[in-house]
Amino acid sequence: MSNSRNRPPVGIIGGTGLTTLSGLEIMAERPVVTPWGQPSSDLIEGCLGDQAVMFLSRHGNPHRIPPHQVNYRANIQALHDAGVRTIVGVNAVGGIHADMGPAHIVIPDQIIDYTWGRASTFFEGELDETTHIDFTWPYTEEARELLISAARDQKLAFSDFGVYGATQGPRLETAAEVLRLERDGCDLVGMTGMPEAALAAELKMNYVCLALVVNRAAGKSDHIITMAEIEAAIDQGMSGVKRILEASISGLGALTPQFS
C-alpha cells in the first residue's frame, strides 16, 4: 500500500475552528500571494493520520471578510498552487427544506447562483481562446459519496441531497426571497457557495460542499433570526462536521484529480 503522505493534500475551506480536528498535527502556517491577489488567510499545513491537509479560513482570521468581498479566485488559486487537488468547502447555511433545521448537516448535490458582481472566473482578459466548463454537476460525486458514507458510519442526522441557493449577502434574505428560492427548488441558502465551486471546476479540482444548517431561512420559523441562534447551532452541529471530515479525509486524499 502506498503511503498517503505522498498524495496531494486535501484542502478544507471554512472557519478557523476546523483546525481542531481530532488527531490533527499542525505543521506550518505560511502567507501566500497569487496572481489574483492575497487569499483570505495564510495557509495552515497539517497532517491528519497520514493524510496531508491544507486549511484556509474563507472569511479571514479573525473572521472579518464579508461573503461578497471574499477573494475567491485567490483562495482557490492558492490551494491549487500548494498542491491541493480535492477541496471540501464547509458552509454555514439557512435551511429552507422542512427537514433541514438548525444543526442539521447537508451534503448538497446541486447549486443555483444568485450572486452578482463577484470576480467569478479565471477565464477573462487577454485569452487565447474562449473556455466554457461543464458545470452540470457542480460537486464531485465521488467526494460526496465519501462524505455520505462517513456521515452514515458516524450515525449522524444528515441529508444526502440538497440544492444550495447562493445569495449575495451580507444581509440575510427576506421572507419573500426565501419563498422565491423555494419555488426555484432550493433546499438551502448561503452566501459563499459561489463562485467557489465554479472556480475549482475551472482548475479541474475535485470539490464538495459540507453544509451545516445554522438557522431556518427567513419566514420559515415564528421568530426573527438572531446571531445567538446561529452560534448555538454552530456549537451543536460542528462536532458532526468534524467527525465527517476525520472519517473521510484519507479517502478524499486518494481521489483521482480531474486534470491530467
Side-chain angles (χ1 to χ4, degrees), residues 95-96 171-183 189 216-225:
I96 298 174
R171 67 167 177 84
L172 297 175
E173 299 71 34
T174 69
E177 287 170 332
V178 169
L179 285 176
R180 183 190 71 159
L181 293 170
E182 188 172 32
R183 288 194 299 269
V189 58
R216 289 206 176 274
K220 292 298 178 181
S221 66
D222 59 1
H223 60 274
I224 63 170
I225 301 166

Side-chain angles (χ1 to χ4, degrees), residues 80-92:
H80 183 274
D81 292 350
V84 169
R85 297 299 179 259
T86 296
I87 296 174
V88 182
V90 179
N91 300 84

Side-chain angles (χ1 to χ4, degrees), residues 19-195:
T19 57
T20 61
L21 295 174
S22 177
L24 175 67
E25 180 183 2
I26 299 296
M27 313 295 289
E29 180 174 350
R30 57 186 176 90
V32 293
V33 177
T34 78
W36 311 101
Q38 285 189 311
S40 298
S41 71
D42 294 349
L43 294 183
I44 297 179
E45 302 174 23
C47 196
L48 186 59
D50 56 2
Q51 174 60 52
V53 290
M54 196 81 64
F55 295 92
L56 190 150
S57 297
R58 187 186 286 113
H59 296 284
N61 184 16
H63 189 292
R64 71 190 190 284
I65 306 172
H68 66 297
Q69 292 187 321
V70 170
N71 191 339
Y72 294 96
R73 290 193 295 190
N75 287 354
I76 298 300
Q77 188 73 61
L79 290 171
H80 183 274
D81 292 350
V84 169
R85 297 299 179 259
T86 296
I87 296 174
V88 182
V90 179
N91 300 84
V93 298
I96 298 174
H97 191 287
D99 294 338
M100 298 178 184
H104 190 72
I105 292 171
V106 184
I107 302 164
D109 58 343
Q110 275 294 339
I111 196 164
I112 300 177
D113 187 8
Y114 301 92
T115 65
W116 51 269
R118 301 183 181 191
S120 59
T121 181
F122 294 113
F123 300 132
E124 62 182 20
E126 297 182 6
L127 302 175
D128 293 333
E129 60 182 1
T130 301
T131 304
H132 305 280
I133 60 166
D134 179 6
F135 203 51
T136 306
W137 308 108
Y139 304 118
T140 304
E141 186 59 27
E142 293 84 353
R144 278 196 354 103
E145 291 299 327
L146 286 168
L147 298 188
I148 290 167
S149 177
R152 286 177 179 152
D153 290 346
Q154 296 295 315
K155 297 180 170 51
L156 296 168
F158 78 103
S159 296
D160 61 1
F161 69 94
V163 177
Y164 182 129
T167 58
Q168 179 71 357
R171 67 167 177 84
L172 297 175
E173 299 71 34
T174 69
E177 287 170 332
V178 169
L179 285 176
R180 183 190 71 159
L181 293 170
E182 188 172 32
R183 288 194 299 269
D184 285 352
C186 296
D187 302 297
L188 305 165
V189 58
M191 302 174 190
T192 54
M194 286 291 287

